[in-house]
Amino acid sequence: MKLFPAKKTALLAAALAVTSTASAAGKLEIFSWWSGDEGPALEALVKLYKQRYPSVAVDNATVSGGAGTNAKAVLKTRMLGGTPPDSFQAHAGQELIGTWVVAGRMEDLGGLYKSEGWDKVFPKDLMGLISSKGGVWSVPVNVHRSNVMWYNPAKLRAWGVTAPKTWTEFLTTCNTLKRKGVAAPLVVGENWTQQHLWESVMIGTLGPQGWQNLWAGKTKFTDPKVVAGFTTFGKVMDCANKDASGLSWQQASDRIVDGTSAFNIMGDWAAGYFTTTKKLQPNSGFGWAASPGTGGTFVMLADSFGLPKGAKNRTEALNWLRLMGSKAGQDAFNPLKGSIAARTDSDLSKYNTYSKSAAADWKRNKIVGSMVHGAVAPESFMSAFGAVIDQFMASKNAQGAAAAAQQLATRSRVGQ
Ligand code: GAL
């Protein structure tokens, strides 16, 4: 569907192009949790921005902490305190729409989408995640996959095991490895990485449709299948390291590289870490498979940036978003990040074997959204679910955890 007549689009694009190249000396503050080991992809994008707008001083403000656990809290105080960054990272989906858009804090970027012709280059489903009330509220820079199981191919060969395809098979493999002296066949890290694992176990138990029903409010958390998912999650956690709460996701990934543990379930930013930071080759340095029970399903999330109302450097921020949504920007960022481009026209020759396989799965798999990374659940659910996992780990009471999750879902109006 054409939203704008071609001539008008061209005129508008020309006008905006003038604005962007004419940008005089200025500043830009971008805000994210991509620091340290997570930084290189963003830095590549900042470098491109500086080439295009050499007179703009870029403040690449980051608050470290995987999955944005710390950054989101800082962002909240800044947004509520009236000092928003010029542009900030937020996951496409409920994290953006259910929080900042419903609160009326974001600018509608519909005009930018029209002038850049972006209505044609982003997949429809992804557009659905960033659109509401007739507006488009952020620019997605990537698509990450959450349901990936990582391993070290040489170590699996040495142990004589292969990547399990179901959670039942996983538990058998876990016992085999324990008998061979591997104390923790699975490595997990701090709380959010346990939630991340829970998500994969639950999708592997309920199937993609069952997962969607949960977030549509059609299936209750107290459903026996969900309870069974919690029980399996408990057994899977019995295969894990005992020092999980002190490990970042990168430290957990390190234990795959050094062969301390056999498996880690993590999003494909781990591929970025393995290739960009650790300089490992896909297939030899690290291996991957869909997390058990989720073959044929792609659990997606997308990092996006928006323009908060009251941004001090609005023109510079718009130029940042323009770059972020461009083909050149996405193909500079994503090969380093481990994600694939959100755009459908990216140049796959720039991507490694892992990313090419993710791109192929993105096209042919059943797509569902990640809870932990903002796509399907309201922020009020996400921010409190960590406590449900902590309590479950202490009690291993699956019924109790399911009931607590349902209470949370009701309070957060999941599916309404
Ligand atoms: C996710 C984010 C990824 C990556 C990961 C680990 O929430 O979408 O881009 O940063 O956290 O921090």
Side-chain angles (χ1 to χ4, degrees):
M1 186 177 65
K2 235 177 163 41
L3 295 176
F4 251 54
K7 203 166 159 198
K8 211 166 162 191
T9 310
L11 284 175
L12 211 82
L16 277 155
V18 170
T19 327
S20 60
T21 47
S23 164
K27 287 185 188 158
L28 170 72
E29 187 200 8
I30 48 170
F31 183 91
S32 77
W33 58 87
W34 290 329
S35 66
D37 287 333
E38 288 221 72
L42 182 63
E43 281 150 25
L45 208 52
V46 169
K47 194 169 155 206
L48 260 187
Y49 185 89
K50 284 182 178 161
Q51 279 165 12
R52 290 193 185 177
Y53 310 102
S55 57
V56 178
V58 180
D59 179 1
N60 184 3
T62 55
V63 176
S64 64
T69 37
N70 305 323
K72 285 190 222 166
V74 174
L75 177 69
K76 208 158 279 173
T77 56
R78 290 194 55 177
M79 291 288 278
L80 300 180
T83 54
D86 296 320
S87 184
F88 65 84
Q89 176 184 4
H91 287 120
Q94 282 304 306
E95 185 179 314
L96 169 84
I97 303 287
T99 308
W100 301 121
V101 176
V102 292
R105 302 275 171 160
M106 305 304 290
E107 280 203 37
D108 177 7
L109 299 172
L112 183 68
Y113 272 74
K114 279 171 195 148
S115 66
E116 298 297 305
W118 286 347
D119 48 329
K120 288 175 217 75
V121 298
F122 292 113
K124 235 174 98 206
D125 288 350
L126 186 52
M127 288 300 294
L129 281 181
I130 52 175
S131 307
S132 77
K133 298 184 195 156
V136 194
W137 304 98
S138 70
V139 178
V141 68
N142 65 5
V143 169
H144 265 307
R145 185 176 195 175
S146 126
N147 60 318
V148 192
M149 182 168 66
W150 307 96
Y151 56 86
N152 177 333
K155 290 300 292 184
L156 288 206
R157 273 196 298 276
W159 286 317
V161 298
T162 52
K165 291 201 165 54
T166 63
W167 286 111
T168 310
E169 229 179 282
F170 177 91
L171 293 173
T172 309
T173 308
C174 164
N175 285 334
T176 307
L177 287 166
K178 279 189 174 169
R179 277 199 303 276
K180 295 191 179 204
V182 183
L186 176 73
V187 59
V188 290
E190 56 187 316
N191 179 287
W192 75 264
T193 73
Q194 297 167 31
Q195 295 183 54
H196 188 110
L197 170 68
W198 175 89
E199 172 169 297
S200 264
V201 173
M202 206 44 89
I203 297 169
T205 306
L206 302 178
Q209 190 58 51
W211 178 250
Q212 279 172 334
N213 289 348
L214 199 58
W215 300 108
K218 289 186 195 154
T219 301
K220 296 255 176 289
F221 280 80
T222 44
D223 186 284
K225 278 195 182 149
V226 180
V227 176
F230 267 105
T231 305
T232 305
F233 173 66
K235 291 183 185 159
V236 169
M237 282 298 284
D238 287 341
C239 297
N241 49 312
K242 301 290 171 237
D243 60 349
S245 61
L247 296 189
S248 67
W249 70 264
Q250 291 96 330
Q251 288 169 321
S253 301
D254 289 344
R255 293 202 184 167
I256 297 301
V257 178
D258 68 20
T260 308
S261 289
F263 304 112
N264 179 32
I265 311 290
M266 190 36 60
D268 53 12
W269 41 93
Y273 178 65
F274 289 141
T275 55
T276 307
T277 306
K278 296 280 160 184
K279 310 286 179 219
L280 296 171
Q281 293 299 319
N283 280 325
S284 52
F286 66 97
W288 66 91
S291 55
T294 70
T297 298
F298 189 117
V299 186
M300 67 77 63
L301 58 119
D303 293 300
S304 72
F305 278 65
L307 179 64
K309 284 183 183 162
K312 274 204 203 115
N313 304 293
R314 192 176 174 280
T315 305
E316 287 73 17
L318 275 167
N319 287 340
W320 166 252
L321 295 174
R322 198 174 270 119
L323 173 65
M324 198 159 229
S326 72
K327 185 171 168 174
Q330 303 220 337
D331 284 343
F333 178 90
N334 288 299
L336 299 170
K337 186 68 171 62
S339 38
I340 53 173
R343 293 177 66 111
T344 49
D345 61 353
S346 79
D347 177 0
L348 273 184
S349 70
K350 298 198 164 126
Y351 292 75
N352 65 34
T353 318
Y354 168 74
S355 299
K356 282 184 181 135
S357 83
D361 286 349
W362 173 241
K363 278 201 192 138
R364 63 181 173 215
N365 281 3
K366 170 97 181 138
I367 309 292
V368 297
S370 160
M371 179 274 285
V372 188
H373 305 282
V376 291
E379 181 82 21
S380 53
F381 183 97
M382 285 161 58
S383 57
F385 189 67
V388 174
I389 292 292
D390 274 346
Q391 277 160 20
F392 175 70
M393 285 315 296
S395 68
K396 289 281 173 79
N397 177 345
Q399 297 273 2
Q406 182 52 44
Q407 266 182 17
L408 199 55
T410 307
R411 258 207 321 273
S412 308
R413 306 170 79 88
V414 163
Q416 286 174 36

